[in-house]
Amino acid sequence: MLQQPNESKPYPREVYYYVLSNIEGLGLASARRLLEIAGDIETLFEEAEKFNEFSASARRKLIETRSNKPLWDEASATLAHAKEKGITLVTFDNDTLYPQLLKQCIDAPMLLFAQGQVGYLSSPHNISIVGTRNASSYGRFAVAKTIEAIALKVPDAVIVSGLAFGIDVAAHEAAMEKNLGTIAVMAYGHNFIYPTEHRKIAQRIIEKGVMLSEYPPKTSIERHRFVARNRIVAGISSATVVIESAQKGGALLTANMALGYNRDVFALPGRITDRYSAGCNNLIEQNKAQLFTNSETLLESLGWNNINTSTSVAGSQPSLLTNQQIPNDPILQIIAKHEAILINDLLPLCNLTYSQLTAKLFDLELDGYIETLPGGKITLAFR
C-alpha cells in the first residue's frame, strides 16, 4: 500500500480515486476500464506493472503517478479540506451511497463530493427536470404541477437539476415545498455557488437535499465544466424532463446525454411561435423525447404509478421483526424506535464516526437485520 510520508498509515481509498481521476491524458472511461481489469483501486496502482491487459502508456502513467509523492500529498490535503467543510466523499466503490444509475454510465465520476442529506443519493426514483434559464410563467407552473403530482404518487422521489436560473431553481424549490428530496448538481466546487443569487436556496438544499459535485471545493467556475455537469444530471436519473428550451442550450445537451445513457426523455410541448418551446417541440418531432402533458404518463412509462414505499419489494405479506427478535444492539434499537431513519439523522444518535456507522450498517444488512428503503431510509428488515 502507498504510505503517507512519515506515517505507517496508508492513504484513504478516496485519495486513490481522486488521483486516478486526475491523471493527465487518462479519461474517466479509460480509468474505469483499468479499474475493472485490476478489480480494486489499490491494486490498480500498486501492481500496475503486472497487468498485461494495460497498454504500455497506461502502465507508465500509473507507475509514474504511484511514485509522485507530492501529487499524493496534495490530493490528501485537498480531500481533508473537503471533509473539514462537512462534505461527504463518495467513492465509486461505495455501494451504499454512490448512485447506482450513475455508476452504469461509462464516464461516471470516480469520486463525488456531496453535502447535505446524502442518503438521497441512493434513491431509486430520481427524475431530472431541466429547462431554460428564461422560464415563462407557464414553464414554472408546469414544473410546480408536475412535482406536485409526482409527490402524490411517488413520495420518495428525488428531483435532480442544476441550480441555474429559471426551470432548474423552480424544480428545486417545488421539490422542497412538497417534501421531496432534491439534488443540485454543480459544475464547480462547494466553495462557490453560481449564480450567487442562489446562495440561500443552496443552503436550504443542504438542509433538505444534496449539493453534489465531481470537483473538490476550491474548483472555480468555468464554462466547460457546465457541459460535463450535464452528464451527471442525465446519468443519475431514470428520466429527464425538459420543460422549456430554445433551439440550443444546456437542457438539450442534457436530454441528448440521457438518450445516450438509454434513459427516458420527456418534453413539454409549446406553441410553435414560442422561442423557448422550440427545443422541446424539436425533441418530440425527432422522436428523441416522449410527449409530456401529464405526470401520469411519465410515471406509467417508468413503472412508478403503483409504488407503495411502505411495503417490502421482496415478497408477499411481510412482517417486521418483533421486539423479541431484535438483538440487543444499540443501533438496531434506535432504528426500531424511529421505524425508518436516514443515516444522517442516525449518526448524531450513535457514538460512532460516519465510517464506523456505515461499516456497522453494512454488517447488519448482510446479517439480514436491516434494509434500505427507496430514498435512503434505513428500517428493520422484513422476515
Side-chain angles (χ1 to χ4, degrees), residues 129 137-151 167 170-175 177-178 180 243 295:
I129 296 181
S137 58
Y138 172 64
R140 290 190 292 271
F141 171 81
V143 169
K145 286 300 180 182
T146 297
I147 291 176
E148 180 181 9
I150 291 171
I167 297 300
H172 294 306
E173 289 177 328
E177 182 180 338
K178 296 302 177 182
L180 294 182
I243 294 296
S295 297

Side-chain angles (χ1 to χ4, degrees), residues 30-90:
S30 297
R32 177 170 179 161
R33 284 192 290 269
L34 295 177
L35 182 59
E36 288 172 350
I37 293 169
D40 181 83
I41 186 69
E42 294 169 349
T43 304
L44 173 63
F45 281 101
E46 293 160 9
E47 301 181 17
E49 53 269 81
K50 296 182 180 180
F51 292 99
N52 294 327
E53 301 94 327
F54 292 1
S55 68
S57 174
R59 281 197 299 272
R60 177 179 52 79
K61 287 179 184 293
L62 290 168
I63 293 168
E64 289 176 353
T65 300
R66 184 176 64 194
S67 60
N68 188 344
K69 283 285 187 180
L71 173 66
W72 289 85
D73 292 344
E74 181 183 355
S76 184
T78 296
L79 300 191
H81 170 68
K83 289 181 179 179
E84 289 169 3
K85 290 181 65 67
I87 295 168
T88 299
L89 307 178
V90 185

Side-chain angles (χ1 to χ4, degrees), residues 2-288:
L2 287 169
Q3 306 294 320
Q4 298 185 43
N6 304 319
E7 295 183 23
S8 60
K9 183 180 178 183
Y11 289 102
R13 287 177 69 81
E14 56 260 26
V15 176
Y16 285 79
Y17 278 104
Y18 180 74
V19 170
L20 178 61
S21 301
N22 289 278
I23 296 178
E24 188 175 351
L26 188 68
L28 286 172
S30 297
R32 177 170 179 161
R33 284 192 290 269
L34 295 177
L35 182 59
E36 288 172 350
I37 293 169
D40 181 83
I41 186 69
E42 294 169 349
T43 304
L44 173 63
F45 281 101
E46 293 160 9
E47 301 181 17
E49 53 269 81
K50 296 182 180 180
F51 292 99
N52 294 327
E53 301 94 327
F54 292 1
S55 68
S57 174
R59 281 197 299 272
R60 177 179 52 79
K61 287 179 184 293
L62 290 168
I63 293 168
E64 289 176 353
T65 300
R66 184 176 64 194
S67 60
N68 188 344
K69 283 285 187 180
L71 173 66
W72 289 85
D73 292 344
E74 181 183 355
S76 184
T78 296
L79 300 191
H81 170 68
K83 289 181 179 179
E84 289 169 3
K85 290 181 65 67
I87 295 168
T88 299
L89 307 178
V90 185
T91 57
F92 189 77
D93 64 352
N94 186 332
D95 290 333
T96 303
L97 287 180
Y98 197 99
Q100 294 304 301
L101 283 175
L102 184 59
K103 187 177 284 190
Q104 295 173 9
C105 305
I106 188 61
D107 54 356
M110 294 284 107
L111 180 65
L112 295 171
F113 297 79
Q115 191 171 20
Q117 309 307 308
V118 295
Y120 284 125
L121 294 176
S122 59
S123 169
H125 298 133
N126 292 350
I127 296 176
S128 292
I129 296 181
V130 297
T132 179
R133 287 169 169 76
N134 300 287
S136 68
S137 58
Y138 172 64
R140 290 190 292 271
F141 171 81
V143 169
K145 286 300 180 182
T146 297
I147 291 176
E148 180 181 9
I150 291 171
L152 288 173
K153 291 280 189 176
V154 190
D156 69 330
V158 174
I159 305 301
V160 181
S161 202
L163 198 65
F165 284 122
I167 297 300
D168 285 22
V169 73
H172 294 306
E173 289 177 328
M176 290 188 288
E177 182 180 338
K178 296 302 177 182
N179 295 315
L180 294 182
T182 190
I183 298 174
V185 185
M186 302 181 292
Y188 39 84
H190 284 265
N191 285 5
F192 303 91
I193 294 295
Y194 180 84
T196 56
E197 291 88 338
H198 289 169
R199 286 176 180 168
K200 288 185 178 179
I201 190 171
Q203 186 56 48
R204 286 174 55 210
I205 291 172
I206 291 173
E207 295 167 1
K208 295 187 175 184
V210 183
M211 295 292 292
L212 183 67
S213 178
E214 64 178 311
Y215 304 110
K218 294 181 181 179
T219 305
S220 60
I221 300 165
E222 294 186 25
R223 187 179 182 88
H224 70 274
R225 295 196 178 104
F226 286 87
V227 176
R229 179 273 307 274
N230 291 344
R231 83 187 194 286
I232 298 178
V233 175
I236 203 172
S237 297
S238 297
T240 293
V241 182
V242 184
I243 294 296
E244 289 183 311
S245 175
Q247 291 275 19
K248 296 181 180 180
L252 295 188
L253 288 175
T254 304
N256 283 308
M257 289 173 178
L259 289 169
Y261 295 142
N262 199 29
R263 304 292 162 75
D264 288 318
V265 175
F266 297 82
L268 180 74
R271 293 178 296 191
I272 60 173
T273 55
D274 288 349
R275 176 184 177 186
Y276 293 107
S277 289
C280 291
N281 292 341
N282 284 348
L283 285 173
I284 297 166
E285 183 180 12
Q286 296 167 13
N287 292 320
K288 289 184 175 182

Side-chain angles (χ1 to χ4, degrees), residues 295-342:
S295 297
E296 193 68 29
T297 302
L298 167 68
L299 299 179
E300 285 180 2
S301 177
L302 295 173
W304 296 357
N305 51 329
N306 291 311
I307 288 176
N308 184 347
T309 58
S310 65
T311 60
S312 169
V313 297
S316 60
Q317 304 302 321
S319 59
L320 283 171
L321 290 165
T322 65
N323 288 335
Q324 290 77 17
Q325 293 174 308
I326 301 172
N328 188 24
D329 183 295
I331 303 298
L332 289 177
Q333 298 296 331
I334 294 170
I335 295 171
K337 181 179 178 181
H338 288 79
E339 295 187 356
I341 187 170
L342 289 168

